[in-house]
Amino acid sequence: MAQRAVWLISHEPGTPLCGTVRFSRRYPTVEKRARVFNGTSYVPIPEDGPFLKALLFELRLLDDNKDFVESRDSCSHINKTSVYGLVIGGGELWPVVAFLKNNMIYACVPLVEQTLSPHPPLISISGISQSFELLFGIQDFLFLGQKNDTELNTKLNQLPDLFLQACPFGTLLDANLQNSLDSINFASVPHPQKQPAWRVGTYKGKPQVSISITEKVKSMQYDKQDIADTWQVVGAVTCKCDLEGNMPNVTISLSLPTNGSPLQDILVHPCVTSLDSAILTSSSIDTMDDSAFSGPYKFPFTPPLESFNLCYYTSQVPVPPILGFYQMKEEEIQVKITVNLKLHESVKNNFEFCEAHIPFYNRGPITHVECKVSFGQLEVFREKSLLVWIIGQKFPKSMEISLSGTVTFGAKSQEKQPFDEICIGGTAYLKLHFRILDYTLTGCYADQHSVQVFASGKPKISTHRKLISSDYYIWNSKAPAPVTYGSLLL
C-alpha cells in the first residue's frame, strides 16, 4: 500500500483560480511502480496547476461551474464514495480520493497494483482506505486545537518534515502526525541548521542568482543514401547562487516553447531535493511521441556556494542547425573542392562567430589556392595545410552560401606536415565552429520571473543562453567509406 501523491488545497471562492495548492508531495519511486502495474491505462501525476483545475471542476467548486455537464452531473454519476476520476491531458487520473472540510480540500492518489481499465472494485484497492486514514490524520493535525491562521500556516510549514517521518516513500507508517511532530522534536528555541556536504561555509553580501543554459550540438553529415546523417544536442544548466543563510532554497523552472524538443536523459546535481517522476523517466532510448513530457522542468535545490552544474540533458531535435555538402576530388597535385552550407530557417541568424575549417592531411604544403566564396572571406594557413572560411555573424537572406575552387600542394618534404590516420586519400571533412548567444536549439529557457528563492533579501536574477558547435563534421561525399563517431575514437 502506497500513495503516488498528496495535496492540500485551500478553497478560495471569488479568486481567479478558486483555490491555492498549500502543500503537495509526489513520490517518484511509487510512480515508477504505477507505470508498471497500470500498463497502458497508466496516467501520470500532473503538475499542481492542471490538477487543481481538474479537481475543482469535478468537485463543482469553480465559480463558473453552473452548467450541466453530462459526464459529471448525470444521475449515473452520483458519487457517494469521495473517490473521483479526473480528466487530465486526454486521460483519466483514477482513483483520486478527495473531500472538502473547513475550506480545505484534502486529496491523494493511491497506488493501484493492477490495470485500471476497466476500473477494479474499490473494495479490492487497499490503498484507498490508507488514503482516507492519511487525509483524516492531516485534517486532525491541522485543525485540532488550531486557533488562528498563523497557527495553521505554522503547521502547514511543518508538513514536509512530518511526511518524512509519517509517510516515507509514500508508505503510511503513522497517521497521527502529532506523534511524528513529537519524535522529531520541533523545539521552540531555534537551532542552527545543519549544512549539507556540498555547501561549506556561508555567503555574506548582495544576493544574486545567475542561470546559464549551454547547449552543444554534434553532427555527422555524409550526403550518402546508404548512411544516415546523425546529430544530437547535449545541454548543461550552470548556476551561481550568492545567497545568505545556511540552507537557502531555490526552485528553477526550465520551459520549452510550443514547438520545443523535449529534454531527455536528465542528470541532476546531488543538491536537488526532489524531481517529478516524468523528468526521471524521460529517456532518449524510448521512441519519441506526442505524449513525451515537455515541461516545465522544476528543480528545487539548496545551492552550493560555488558555481555548479544543476543538470545535464540531451534532446532529439528534428534537424541540425546547418545542413552541409562537401565534395573533394583529387587531380594529381591538386584537389577540387565544393562546399554548400544552408542555415535552417528556424535557427537564429545572429552568430557570435561562424567558421568552416577545411584541413588537408597527409599531403605536401599548400602552394596555391584559387577559390571563390559567395559570402564571407577565406584565409589560408599554409603551415597547417588549413583553409578557414570566415562566414561571420550572419548568413545572407537566402540562408545559403557556397565555396568552390582548387588547392594545389607541393611535394612532401622533410618538414613535418599535418598527419591523420583516418583522412587518407579522398576521406576528408569540413568542421564547423560557431556560437549563437541568447539562443538554444531546443528552445529551452529559464524565465527569471519563475525562479523562486527562499532566503533573506530579494536577489538579482540573471539568465543566459547559448548554442555552441561541438564535433560538427561534414564529410566528403566522394569518400570511399563512411566515417562514424566510433572510427574517430580509434
Side-chain angles (χ1 to χ4, degrees), residues 1-3 110-113 121-131:
M1 295 186 294
Q3 305 299 314
L111 173 67
V112 180
E113 298 181 351
L122 296 182
I123 196 171
S124 68
I125 305 174
S126 57
I128 288 182
S129 60
Q130 188 188 74
S131 297

Side-chain angles (χ1 to χ4, degrees), residues 11 17-18 52-53 56-57 60-66:
H11 180 218
L17 298 179
C18 295
L52 171 64
K53 184 176 181 180
L56 292 179
F57 173 81
R60 303 174 180 84
L61 296 177
L62 292 174
D63 288 343
D64 57 357
N65 258 5
K66 297 179 181 179

Side-chain angles (χ1 to χ4, degrees), residues 118-358:
H119 290 172
L122 296 182
I123 196 171
S124 68
I125 305 174
S126 57
I128 288 182
S129 60
Q130 188 188 74
S131 297
F132 280 109
E133 185 180 6
L134 173 60
L135 296 180
F136 285 134
I138 299 173
Q139 177 191 337
D140 290 342
F141 172 73
L142 292 180
F143 290 99
L144 285 181
Q146 184 256 331
K147 299 177 181 178
N148 50 50
D149 289 342
T150 301
E151 187 174 337
L152 175 61
N153 291 333
T154 300
K155 290 185 176 182
L156 286 170
N157 291 334
Q158 292 172 345
L159 284 179
D161 293 309
L162 293 178
F163 264 67
L164 293 176
Q165 297 285 330
C167 195
F169 301 103
T171 301
L172 181 62
L173 300 182
D174 188 356
N176 189 335
L177 299 188
Q178 189 61 45
N179 291 342
S180 299
L181 181 64
D182 295 338
S183 66
I184 59 179
N185 191 20
F186 279 94
S188 58
V189 179
H191 294 278
Q193 288 180 300
K194 184 179 179 180
Q195 289 182 299
W198 57 81
R199 186 175 177 86
V200 181
T202 56
Y203 171 80
K204 294 291 183 182
K206 187 177 181 180
Q208 52 188 356
V209 175
S210 176
I211 306 165
S212 177
I213 303 174
T214 302
E215 289 187 351
K216 294 184 178 180
V217 57
K218 301 180 179 182
S219 181
M220 286 282 195
Q221 299 180 34
Y222 309 97
D223 194 44
K224 290 180 176 289
Q225 293 183 350
D226 57 342
I227 181 169
D229 296 344
T230 61
W231 59 90
Q232 185 187 44
V233 172
V234 179
V237 181
T238 305
C239 298
K240 181 68 167 70
C241 302
D242 296 328
L243 301 170
E244 294 186 348
N246 288 338
M247 290 185 65
N249 292 313
V250 180
T251 298
I252 290 176
S253 295
L254 302 182
S255 301
L256 297 174
T258 305
N259 60 344
S261 300
L263 310 186
Q264 300 171 319
D265 306 323
I266 297 175
L267 299 176
V268 299
H269 190 276
C271 71
V272 176
T273 55
S274 64
L275 276 179
D276 189 292
S277 59
I279 296 178
L280 291 172
T281 55
S282 179
S283 171
S284 59
I285 299 176
D286 300 330
T287 303
M288 288 288 291
D289 55 37
D290 294 338
S291 64
F293 182 69
S294 56
Y297 305 84
K298 293 186 178 182
F299 301 91
F301 59 95
T302 299
L305 290 177
E306 69 280 1
S307 177
F308 70 101
N309 289 319
L310 176 65
C311 70
Y312 299 93
Y313 61 84
T314 66
S315 184
Q316 301 176 37
V317 295
V319 292
I322 298 178
L323 293 169
F325 168 81
Y326 175 41
Q327 189 175 92
M328 184 186 78
K329 295 181 180 179
E330 292 186 280
E331 296 181 356
E332 297 181 353
I333 62 172
Q334 66 178 203
V335 295
K336 287 187 175 181
I337 60 174
T338 302
V339 179
N340 296 318
L341 299 177
K342 180 178 181 179
L343 180 67
H344 193 269
E345 59 185 9
S346 64
V347 178
K348 180 180 180 181
N349 189 13
N350 190 0
F351 295 79
E352 184 179 15
F353 65 86
C354 184
E355 298 176 351
H357 290 202
I358 309 174

Side-chain angles (χ1 to χ4, degrees), residues 7 49 70-71 223 253 281 287 312 320 378 389 391 393 399 418 470:
W7 291 268
E70 174 71 23
S71 61
D223 194 44
S253 295
T281 55
T287 303
Y312 299 93
L378 189 67
W389 183 9
I391 299 167
Q393 296 180 327
M399 300 295 188
S470 173

